[in-house]
């Protein structure tokens, strides 16, 4: 692997960039691996990377039915945060943020984690009480958080609506300074390059069509490129987790929904933070390229169609116009949708699947991107050791029969 | 503790007709509105049944809300509660819905609030308009649209129509 | 040097319009775009590229223009990133190139181009990691972005939305669209024709005549025929997307500075006649100002009577180029034909072109017109899920397997010859299935040549060159999506209209694969950028989730009450004019000392009626309701099937077959839906009916030691009314439902009367209250009163995990024998766990301030753990000390314990106490 | 914007509808012993089919609970059926 650095970039610039090697290979699948990861998105690639890096298991294949990073990893609004209420969630997501903080250097690939902070605004007295509850929870969970008053919010978001006719005037908010955005594709590519460099085979255009089981244990997969056997299998197939589960004869507590995202034409910097205004159902930030990156809630119709629907567009974009009236005149460039796994408690599922030899990392809902390194780390741990990491144990499927749901929405009113 | 009184327009006197330019919104004071539900209520009522787009007569009629529910308009008073003989539940809701007649070039106003056309009939007059639950049908003059909106949303409906008027 | 011809075009020379570009005054005519007026004036540099700040001129004449992007100010309002080619000129416009300072012609950042070799595709992924990205990001951000958005809000910039329908929508008002619309209308269809230019005709204007008729007459004839057959025509209207179930999104544009109207159009049939655009040729310095698309030059000439230049090298072999060459020559330009097959090709000159170098020949030129062939505009086809087929003869993706109810015709369908297009369009319009005509002209492909010398632009706006594509291939970013994302090819504000095809072709050539094997990226709406405002519809200000209004709102306003959003209703928070917190305190004190009147109208009044009503409410309630006697009232919970408390409130039995559920004000709609769902799922819906009569009634609560006295003055008999009973009576000849329930702990009555009679009752109560020193109170005071008693508010003192036994209501969970919603969920491991959060009170010493709501209760470890949190906290005016409610882990076992409350790093001590702080024996209830 | 067909009211805008649940779930009889697993499966397990689905929806204006068969990828609606035994 040629190291990326200012120096190599300078050198290659002088010679027309002819010396850069492939970021990853395109190998043909081998008949057997020590471990197979289904899904070449962020979580799958991170799993393979950490299997190789943390557990020295390098005979690993990542099977991707399309192009790597083409699922939700390449379709999200790039927010990275850990502003969670419950200790279990906070520990999990903050682990993700911490891994992100070092990820560019770990991978030798600039994933542009921009810790510009995220503000969740409060718009009423009741919101402020909940904001206090949230801020205190975060701080007790060891996550950075500040409770902002109205002026402090407006200082950070000068364009915010302060007109007297604003339906939901800003009262204050919760700031997580370490939250921010990352370059989503770069996360997938950086992980792919680093995993590949450690010997992992990343096999694109290889669709898993079934599981090979022997004596009740999963020992391999059927794919569009033929059967591949493996010692252990992990699935990280957000949006399609139920499809994979059906192949294994399982049902998951997951419903798939389309989640839309929007980007505007590029603008000179107008917005320095990530802002979620819950009563408007909208959040946005500004990318380094200058586009406003806008997101909101789920479409209301369960869907595997990777395209958005007008009612939610109206809600989200109207929300943005209300949050910052000056942006109403900005033009929308593109909108698209990803398919997300939604669990009853909006928390992920990490753990054994119910089929021996098959582990799951799914159910991240709208929050998968921020957890890519954490999800990969934990699935790799499970696959390598056969046991839970302490951070993933609460997120096992057994929480459903025991009733031990981790329902952030129920507790804190925080949108996922 | 925030005083938001000024954020909200004071509700208009609903008795005064509202000029929408190409259309007019007039408050209708009905004698009575009665919810009647029952497994056979559509067969049992002897009042004219009104659906969408419908043609409501001047006197009493029964607007169909569901497969087992009608809203009786200007029907004789009936006791609230369960009528075991008729197998019907009855509730007086006269004050629950504010009623307007929309006259003039009405359809463009309605089409701002929903995908709506008189060309596609419906057995029920219940629908969402501007996101508000309403009962909507035509009178038998063929041009007047009658709207029942939950009283608490009457002001919002007026504002929606006024906003539409600014664009028509 | 003016390039404007003395005659011709669609412009109105009698209406000159003055405008400025980068501060310099110019004049154009009515009918001009900013771009055409600048071109006519001889302005060559209209913008700068995103990355290298290369000087750029016009490539296109309409939506495919990648370069001429401007901030435009008119009447003091500035709009960023306006495309000069689609912005119709208005008098007084001030246009300024974005991403350039002080002007597009002299841009201080032009020097960046010198360092281009280090700004190759994805260079930023390889550096800026040490010490940290944060060090570099601000600089990168300042460099990026196009226009600056002004911070002003434009009140006049307000969107409209409508829904519409038709039998057939024809998208595109060029020759094919006009012909198709006419045929469809004459076949009796209700037709809507939309065209994104302000005038009809499309490329027809480039032709002198069509079907033997002068073009303008031909267009007029089609227009009249469509209209007389009942068809409708919308010009200046863009179909920007097609959504599920065939919904077409239309943006109907008005004058500059107004927001387009969004029309959601439902059609039984969609005919796509969106035409085609020219694609660039890829050669060295092909981004120089003065290099323009053949199709664009034809448009400037036909519509705006403007030559693209005087000395023109025409680098194309298409039939369209043949036509144009003759027209340009006739108009006085000097045209040299150059075969693009010659190589190498390169443009000479910098800000101004001097020549086209083709092989070893130098063709002097101030303008190069280039075409690599036409690309059908199939965006909407793809939005709707239509497939694409690759055509070797046209070197283009054409509409293949169609989506439901959609047909393509004309150039959008790959038919670039007018007569054939018209024939196909007419048949399509009439509904006759028709095969696509074979092309007369077989295009010789001129795709990018990997390895060829010079800087060759693929994406003009984003500065993606052939070398960048080669780099992406070298690094294995070969999937078409990786190529796009790694190089940013096709992600500029023109959305790849000019760059996608050359980009795909370049990757195909590098890999030696056929183009269709590379595939295309997803075509995403909107087809052209549309303002965010357009999507807003009616959702603004008050109409963004409008609040519900009380029958007594006029009375509250008249009395000066402070109104606010409480649970979706606009309600009085407090009634006096003083300091809000003090008003709430004194109102609460009045309620305890004399009596208070509270507008409780939003409380739910959902009737459950029918022979199975009793069994049904018994099933949907946690508590046993079956045993409730007529005329009596019970407090209870409804649970979710997951066992969490969903709503609380009282339920009254009016008679054997009729109950009325008084659910929380903010929950009425949710409870009604919840009940309806259960009614139809597992119960007999013919024997249970749910009537939401909430808004028929207004409810006024009278509470306090003098409540009875107050009601006596209204001749309302409260004798023999025990607590939790109900009586149907009358007041002033109107039915009145009198319920004795208490949310304050004092004697209380709820008076429910028809909403239209509420003002009279309200006035009577206020009049009667005066001599008693009683009066109205708002919801803030009520919140204090109920907290003193430890009465909870759903959603404030509970969360989505709270179960009834956490609130002290344990019996039904253990003893209720019949099934109820959520029953089994109350016995999971977690439901049975000893560490559940339970509702408790907290006591702090008098004289200290109330605990902050939202403070956590923590363990006393060095790393403290949260045990719960304060959910309600007030100064109690009655007790003269702070009170608080909290959800606390294992709270009932901690009664009397001292616990630490933690708020933003500061701690205080509190004592765990029962939730009820006032009158725990309940003596006041019957005082 | 999709069009769903309420079995009683006919075709209406999707905004009038509320997704209730997958079809085919039966509430366990809680008068007897119900295992934690059975209850959790009833509450939470989903087929979540990609492609043809059978779901229960509510048409909010008329509160009708009905069965809808549709495709979760193409969004095509195949049919809607009333859940009531005797459609009128």
């Amino acid at each position: 692997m040629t190291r990326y650095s200012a120096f190599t970039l300078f050198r290659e610039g002088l010679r027309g960039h002819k010396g850069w090697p492939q970021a990853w290979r395109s190998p043909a699948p081998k008949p057997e691996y020590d471990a197979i990861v289904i899904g070449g998105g962020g979580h799958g690639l991170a799993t393979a990377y950490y299997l190789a890096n943390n557990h020295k298991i390098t005979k690993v294949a990542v099977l991707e039915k399309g192009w790597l990073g083409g699922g939700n990893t390449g379709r999200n609004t790039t927010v990275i945060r850990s502003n969670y209420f419950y200790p279990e969630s906070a520990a999990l997501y903050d682990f993700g943020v911490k891994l992100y903080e070092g990820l560019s250097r770990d991978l030798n690939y600039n994933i542009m984690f921009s810790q510009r902070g995220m503000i969740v605004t409060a718009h009423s007295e009741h919101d402020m009480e909940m904001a206090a509850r949230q801020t205190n929870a975060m701080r007790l969970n060891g996550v950075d958080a500040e409770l902002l008053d109205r002026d402090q919010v407006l200082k950070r978001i000068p364009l915010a609506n302060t007109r007297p006719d604003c339906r939901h005037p800003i009262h204050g908010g919760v700031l997580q300074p370490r939250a921010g955005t990352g370059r989503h594709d770069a996360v997938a590519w950086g992980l792919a390059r680093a995993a590949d460099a450690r010997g992992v085979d990343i096999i694109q255009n290889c669709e898993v069509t079934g599981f090979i089981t022997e004596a009740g244990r999963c020992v391999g997969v059927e794919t569009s490129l033929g059967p591949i056997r493996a010692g252990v299998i992990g699935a990280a197939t957000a949006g399609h987790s139920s499809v994979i589960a059906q192949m294994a004869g399982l049902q998951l507590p997951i419903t798939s929904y389309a989640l839309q995202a929007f980007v505007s034409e590029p603008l000179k910097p107008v917005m320095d933070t990530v802002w979620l205004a819950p009563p408007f159902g909208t959040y946005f930030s500004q990318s380094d390229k200058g586009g406003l990156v806008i997101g909101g809630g789920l479409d209301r119709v369960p869907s595997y169609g990777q395209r958005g629907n007008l009612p939610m567009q109206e809600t989200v974009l109207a929300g943005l116009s209300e949050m910052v009236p000056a942006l109403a005149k900005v033009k929308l460039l593109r909108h698209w949708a990803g398919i997300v796994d939604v669990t009853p408690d909006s928390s992920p599922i990490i753990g054994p699947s119910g089929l021996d030899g098959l582990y799951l990392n799914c159910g991240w809902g709208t929050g998968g991107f921020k957890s890519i390194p954490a999800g990969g780390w934990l699935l790799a741990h499970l696959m390598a050791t056969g046991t839970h990491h302490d951070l993933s144990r609460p997120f096992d499927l057994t929480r459903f029969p025991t009733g031990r749901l981790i329902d952030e929405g129920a507790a804190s009113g925080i949108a996922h | 503790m925030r005083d938001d009184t000024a954020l909200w327009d004071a509700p208009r006197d609903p008795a005064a007709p509202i000029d929408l330019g190409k259309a007019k919104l007039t408050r209708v004071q009905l004698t009575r509105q009665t919810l009647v539900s029952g497994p056979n209520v559509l067969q049992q009522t002897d009042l004219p049944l009104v659906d969408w787009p419908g043609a409501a007569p001047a006197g009493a009629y029964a607007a169909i809300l569901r497969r087992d529910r009608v809203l009786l308009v200007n029907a004789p008073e009936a006791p609230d509660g369960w009528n075991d003989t008729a197998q019907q539940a009855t509730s007086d809701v006269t004050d629950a819905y504010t009623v307007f007649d929309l006259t003039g070039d009405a359809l463009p106003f309605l089409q701002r609030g929903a995908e709506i056309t008189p060309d596609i009939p419906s057995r029920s007059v219940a629908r969402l308009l501007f996101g508000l639950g309403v009962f909507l049908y035509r009178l038998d003059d063929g041009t007047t649209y009658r709207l029942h909106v939950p009283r608490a949303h009457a002001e919002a409906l007026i504002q929606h129509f006024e906003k539409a008027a600014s664009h028509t | 040097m003016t390039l404007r011809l003395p005659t011709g075009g669609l412009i109105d020379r009698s209406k000159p319009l003055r405008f400025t570009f980068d501060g310099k005054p110019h004049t154009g005519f009515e009918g001009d775009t900013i771009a055409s007026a600048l071109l006519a004036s001889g302005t060559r540099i209209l913008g700068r590229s995103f990355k290298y700040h290369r000087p750029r001129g016009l490539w296109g004449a309409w939506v495919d223009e990648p370069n001429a992007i401007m901030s435009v100010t008119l009447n003091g309002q500035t709009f960023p990133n306006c495309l000069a080619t689609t912005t119709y000129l208005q008098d007084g416009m001030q246009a300024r190139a974005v991403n350039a300072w002080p002007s597009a012609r002299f841009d201080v950042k032009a020097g960046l181009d010198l360092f281009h070799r280090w700004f190759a595709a994805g260079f930023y992924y390889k550096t800026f990691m040490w010490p940290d990205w944060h060090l570099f990001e601000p600089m990168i951000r300042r460099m990026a972005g196009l226009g600056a958005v002004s911070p002003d809000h434009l009140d006049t910039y307000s969107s409209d939305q409508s829904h519409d329908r038709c039998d057939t929508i024809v998208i595109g008002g060029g020759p094919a669209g006009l012909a198709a619309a006419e045929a469809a209308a004459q076949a009796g269809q209700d037709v809507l024709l939309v065209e994104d230019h302000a005038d009809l005709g499309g490329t027809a204007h480039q032709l002198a005549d069509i079907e033997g008729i002068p073009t303008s007459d031909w267009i007029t004839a089609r227009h009249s025929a469509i209209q007389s057959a009942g068809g409708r025509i919308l010009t200046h209207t863009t179909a920007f997307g097609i959504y599920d179930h065939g919904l077409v999104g239309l943006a109907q544009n008005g004058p500059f500075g107004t927001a387009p109207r969004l029309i959601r159009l439902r059609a039984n049939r969609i005919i796509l006649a969106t035409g085609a655009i020219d694609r660039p040729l890829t050669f060295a310095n092909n981004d120089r100002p003065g290099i323009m698309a053949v199709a664009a030059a034809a448009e400037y000439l036909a519509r705006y009577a403007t030559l693209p230049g005087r000395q023109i090298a025409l680098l194309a072999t298409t039939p369209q180029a043949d036509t144009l060459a003759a027209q340009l020559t006739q108009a006085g330009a000097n045209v040299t034909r150059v075969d693009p097959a010659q190589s190498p090709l390169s443009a000479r000159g910098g800000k101004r072109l001097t020549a086209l170098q083709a092989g070893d020949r130098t063709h002097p030129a101030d303008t190069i017109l280039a075409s690599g062939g036409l690309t059908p505009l199939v965006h909407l086809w793809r939005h709707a899920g239509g497939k694409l087929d690759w055509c070797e003869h046209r070197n283009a993706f054409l509409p293949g397997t169609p989506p439901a109810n959609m047909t393509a015709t004309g150039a959008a369908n790959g038919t670039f010859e007018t007569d054939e297009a018209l024939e196909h369009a007419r048949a399509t319009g009439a509904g006759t299935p028709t095969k696509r005509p074979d092309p007369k002209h077989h295009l010789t492909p001129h795709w990018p040549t990997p390895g060829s010398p010079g800087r060759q632009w693929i994406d003009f706006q984003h500065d993606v060159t052939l070398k960048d594509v080669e780099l992406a291939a070298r690094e294995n970013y070969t999937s078409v999506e990786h190529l796009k994302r790694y190089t940013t090819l096709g992600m500029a504000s023109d959305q790849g209209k000019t760059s996608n095809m050359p980009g795909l072709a370049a990757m195909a050539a590098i890999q030696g694969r056929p183009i269709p094997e590379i595939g295309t990226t997803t075509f995403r709406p909107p087809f052209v950028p549309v303002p965010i405002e357009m999507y807003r519809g009616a959702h603004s200000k008050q109409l963004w989730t409008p609040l519900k209004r009380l029958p007594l709102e006029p009375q509250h306003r008249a009395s000066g009450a402070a109104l606010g959003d409480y649970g979706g209703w606009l309600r009085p928070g407090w009634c006096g004019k003083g300091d809000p917190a003090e008003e709430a305190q004194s109102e609460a004190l009045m309620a305890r000392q004399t009596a208070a009147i509270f507008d409780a109208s939003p409380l739910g009044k959902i009737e459950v009626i029918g022979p199975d009503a009793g069994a049904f409410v018994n099933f949907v309630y946690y508590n046993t309701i079956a045993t409730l006697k007529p005329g009596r009232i019970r407090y209870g919970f409804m649970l979710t099937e997951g066992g969490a408390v969903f709503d609380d409130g009282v339920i009254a039995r009016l008679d054997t077959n009729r109950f009325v559920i008084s659910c929380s004000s903010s929950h009425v709609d949710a409870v009604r839906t919840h009940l309806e769902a259960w009614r139809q799922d597992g119960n007999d819906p013919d024997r249970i009916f749910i009537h939401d009569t909430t808004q028929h009634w207004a409810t006024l609560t009278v509470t306090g030691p003098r409540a009875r006295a107050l009601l006596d003055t209204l001749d309302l008999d409260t004798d023999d009314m025990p607590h939790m009973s109900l009586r149907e009576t009358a007041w002033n000849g109107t039915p009145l439902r009198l319920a004795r329930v208490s949310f304050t702990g004092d004697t209380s009555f709820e008076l429910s009367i028809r909403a239209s009679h509420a003002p009279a009752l309200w006035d009577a109560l206020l009049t009667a209250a005066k001599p008693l020193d009683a009066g109205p109170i708002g919801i803030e005071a009520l919140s204090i009163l109920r907290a003193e008693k430890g009465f909870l508010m759903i959603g404030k003192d509970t969360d989505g995990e709270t179960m009834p036994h956490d609130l002290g209501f344990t019996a039904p969970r253990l003893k209720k024998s019949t099934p109820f919603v959520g029953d089994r969920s109350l016995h999971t491991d977690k439901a049975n766990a000893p560490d559940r959060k339970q509702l408790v009170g907290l006591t702090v010493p008098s004289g200290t301030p109330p605990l902050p709501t939202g403070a956590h209760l923590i363990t006393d470890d060095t790393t403290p753990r949260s045990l719960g949190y304060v959910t309600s906290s007030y100064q109690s005016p009655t007790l003269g000390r702070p009170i608080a409610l909290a959800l606390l882990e294992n709270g009932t076992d901690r009664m009397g314990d001292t616990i630490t409350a933690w708020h933003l790093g500061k701690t205080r001590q509190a004592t765990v106490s029962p939730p009820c702080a006032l009158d725990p024996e309940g003596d006041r209830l019957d005082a | 914007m999709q069009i769903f067909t309420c079995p009683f009211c006919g075709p209406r805008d999707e905004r009038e509808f509320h997704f209730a649940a997958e079809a085919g779930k039966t509430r366990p009889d809680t008068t007897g012993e119900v295992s934690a697993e059975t209850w959790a499966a009833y509450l939470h397990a989903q087929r979540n089919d990609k492609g043809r689905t059978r779901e229960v929806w509510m048409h909010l204006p008329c509160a009708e609970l009905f069965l809808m068969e549709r495709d979760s990828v193409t969004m095509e609606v195949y049919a809607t059926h009333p859940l009531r035994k005797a459609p009128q």
Side-chain angles (χ1 to χ4, degrees), chain C residues 221-280:
Chain C
R222 304 286 80 72
H223 188 163
S224 317
I226 294 164
Q227 288 197 317
S228 55
R232 290 179 292 159
I233 296 172
L234 288 177
T235 55
H236 212 182
T237 299
T238 309
F240 62 86
I242 294 185
Y243 297 90
D244 286 331
H245 295 188
L247 188 92
V248 185
L250 300 175
Q252 185 184 9
N253 295 292
F256 183 83
T258 61
R261 170 181 292 148
L262 170 59
I263 302 171
R264 298 178 157 122
L265 191 282
R266 187 81 62 182
N268 299 330
R269 193 162 68 115
I270 300 169
I271 298 177
L272 213 59
T274 43
I277 53 170
D278 244 339
R279 54 178 177 263

Side-chain angles (χ1 to χ4, degrees), chain C residues 9 21 38 44 70 74 115 177 203 240 337 394 482 516 580 603 717 766 828:
Chain C
F21 172 59
L38 287 173
R44 305 300 274 187
M70 300 178 182
L74 183 68
F115 302 96
T203 54
F240 62 86
R337 298 293 297 264
R394 300 170 177 88
H482 288 161
L603 273 179
D717 178 11
L766 286 192
T828 61

Side-chain angles (χ1 to χ4, degrees), chain C residues 22-320:
Chain C
D22 280 346
K24 192 179 160 202
H26 292 272
T27 307
F29 297 114
E30 177 101 12
D32 260 325
T33 61
I34 293 177
S36 68
L38 287 173
L39 179 70
S41 76
T43 308
R44 305 300 274 187
I45 300 173
L46 275 69
R48 290 275 167 170
S49 64
F50 193 84
K51 192 156 73 167
Y52 301 139
H53 287 253
R54 299 263 292 185
R56 291 289 168 74
L58 291 166
W59 161 262
W62 194 239
V63 294
D64 55 333
E65 166 59 28
N67 297 322
I69 300 167
M70 300 178 182
S71 283
V72 178
T73 306
L74 183 68
N75 303 325
Q77 300 184 343
T78 301
F79 293 84
N81 300 338
C82 302
L83 201 53
T85 50
T86 58
T87 306
Y88 286 106
L89 194 60
Q90 283 181 234
D91 196 58
M93 275 181 166
Q94 299 159 274
R96 193 164 273 287
V98 299
N99 206 37
W101 191 84
S103 71
R105 191 161 168 72
F106 301 102
D107 176 17
V108 293
K109 289 189 187 141
L112 281 173
D113 195 32
L114 296 172
F115 302 96
H116 68 83
R117 61 174 67 233
W118 292 290
F119 298 156
F123 74 97
Y124 30 77
Y125 299 130
K126 294 171 178 154
T127 182
F128 304 141
M129 287 173 268
W130 289 95
D132 199 279
W133 169 238
H134 302 129
L135 200 65
F136 305 96
E137 190 188 22
M139 173 191 72
I140 301 273
R141 288 193 70 192
R142 278 196 301 274
M143 299 286 292
L146 291 175
V149 65
S150 58
D152 53 330
H153 167 62
L154 311 177
D155 271 316
T156 52
Y157 192 68
S158 162
S159 68
D160 182 23
Q161 272 197 28
S162 190
H163 302 77
D164 204 346
R165 57 183 300 114
C166 63
D167 294 332
T168 298
I169 180 171
V170 179
I171 301 171
L178 285 166
E182 180 184 16
Q186 287 177 344
Q189 299 246 294
D190 169 24
V191 170
L192 178 67
L193 172 67
V194 296
E195 160 60 37
D196 61 354
H197 282 87
D199 36 43
L200 291 173
T203 54
H205 298 292
Q206 298 172 16
L207 307 172
D209 49 61
I210 300 181
E211 298 177 316
I213 305 170
T215 296
S216 60
D217 295 345
W218 187 89
I219 294 171
T220 309
R222 304 286 80 72
H223 188 163
S224 317
I226 294 164
Q227 288 197 317
S228 55
R232 290 179 292 159
I233 296 172
L234 288 177
T235 55
H236 212 182
T237 299
T238 309
F240 62 86
I242 294 185
Y243 297 90
D244 286 331
H245 295 188
L247 188 92
V248 185
L250 300 175
Q252 185 184 9
N253 295 292
F256 183 83
T258 61
R261 170 181 292 148
L262 170 59
I263 302 171
R264 298 178 157 122
L265 191 282
R266 187 81 62 182
N268 299 330
R269 193 162 68 115
I270 300 169
I271 298 177
L272 213 59
T274 43
I277 53 170
D278 244 339
R279 54 178 177 263
L281 288 168
T282 310
F283 59 92
N285 286 331
N286 62 338
D287 71 322
R288 284 301 181 197
I291 302 179
M292 183 185 281
V294 166
E299 283 288 279
Y300 285 114
L301 186 62
R303 288 176 179 267
Y304 312 109
T306 295
L307 288 171
R310 296 281 176 194
Q311 181 72 39
I312 296 167
L314 184 52
L315 189 62
T317 56
T318 59
Q320 292 77 21

Side-chain angles (χ1 to χ4, degrees), chain A residues 118-156:
Chain A
M118 173 166 179
I119 296 174
V120 181
T121 41
H123 298 261
S124 66
E125 195 115 349
H126 177 68
D127 283 0
M128 275 310 280
E129 293 173 359
M130 295 303 274
R133 189 193 286 186
Q134 175 75 20
T135 306
N136 288 328
M138 286 169 64
R139 288 172 63 169
L140 287 166
N141 289 334
V143 177
D144 59 319
E146 291 172 30
L147 189 63
L148 305 183
D149 63 21
R150 175 185 156 92
D151 289 344
Q152 290 169 315
V153 171
L154 294 178
K155 208 176 142 203
R156 287 176 169 80

Side-chain angles (χ1 to χ4, degrees), chain A residues 184-379:
Chain A
H184 56 6
D185 291 326
V187 173
W189 300 338
L191 285 165
R193 174 169 166 269
D196 179 272
R198 284 158 180 77
V200 172
D201 282 356
I202 298 164
I203 302 158
Q204 301 183 68
N205 301 306
C206 177
E207 182 168 6
V208 170
T209 55
F211 288 98
I212 305 167
T213 53
E214 286 174 6
R217 184 179 164 82
C218 184
V219 295
V221 291
E222 301 284 356
T223 78
S224 53
L225 301 179
I228 309 173
R229 294 179 69 89
V232 62
I233 298 171
T237 54
H240 287 70
S241 305
S242 299
V243 177
I244 292 289
Q246 280 194 10
M247 290 176 195
L250 306 166
Q251 283 191 16
L252 297 177
I254 284 178
T255 305
S256 293
Y257 283 92
L259 177 69
Q260 300 197 59
F262 310 82
V263 67
S264 80
E265 57 195 355
L267 302 165
K268 290 295 173 197
V270 292
M271 179 68 182
D272 274 334
T273 187
V274 184
W275 175 20
L276 166 67
F280 293 115
T282 303
Y283 66 91
F284 77 105
S285 63
Q286 189 177 17
S287 76
D288 289 335
K289 220 172 86 186
L292 305 174
V293 182
I294 307 155
L298 299 167
D299 280 12
R300 293 174 59 247
V301 181
S303 169
Y304 282 95
Q306 283 181 328
R307 59 188 179 280
N309 210 352
L310 271 171
M312 188 48 73
Q313 286 165 25
E314 183 171 322
T315 306
V316 172
L317 296 170
L320 178 69
S321 299
E322 292 300 299
M323 288 159 73
V324 188
L327 296 179
K329 55 184 177 273
V330 171
K331 291 185 275 298
L332 187 76
L333 204 54
R334 287 191 290 281
H335 58 80
W336 65 92
I339 303 305
V340 299
D341 294 345
V342 177
T343 59
D345 57 358
S346 300
S347 283
I349 296 166
I350 310 170
S353 67
L355 175 63
D356 199 18
L358 175 65
Y359 295 93
L360 298 175
N361 166 9
C362 60
W364 292 94
T366 63
F369 176 71
K370 62 173 166 278
S371 339
I372 281 174
W377 185 290
L378 298 172
L379 181 58

Side-chain angles (χ1 to χ4, degrees), chain C residues 744-763:
Chain C
T744 62
D746 279 309
T747 310
S748 297
F749 295 89
E750 285 178 2
L751 287 62
S752 294
I753 195 164
R754 277 179 56 173
S756 56
H757 294 256
L761 180 61
W762 176 257
D763 289 344

Side-chain angles (χ1 to χ4, degrees), chain A residues 42-47 49-50 54 80 92-104 106-107 111 113 187 191 361 364 367-380:
Chain A
H43 282 270
L45 292 165
T47 304
Y49 169 70
Y50 289 118
N54 297 2
I80 297 166
L92 174 68
Y93 290 100
D94 208 50
F95 182 58
V97 171
K98 285 188 179 120
L99 288 174
Y100 262 120
E101 283 173 331
L103 199 61
S104 289
D106 289 348
L107 301 178
I111 59 113
F113 182 22
V187 173
L191 285 165
N361 166 9
W364 292 94
F369 176 71
K370 62 173 166 278
S371 339
I372 281 174
W377 185 290
L378 298 172
L379 181 58

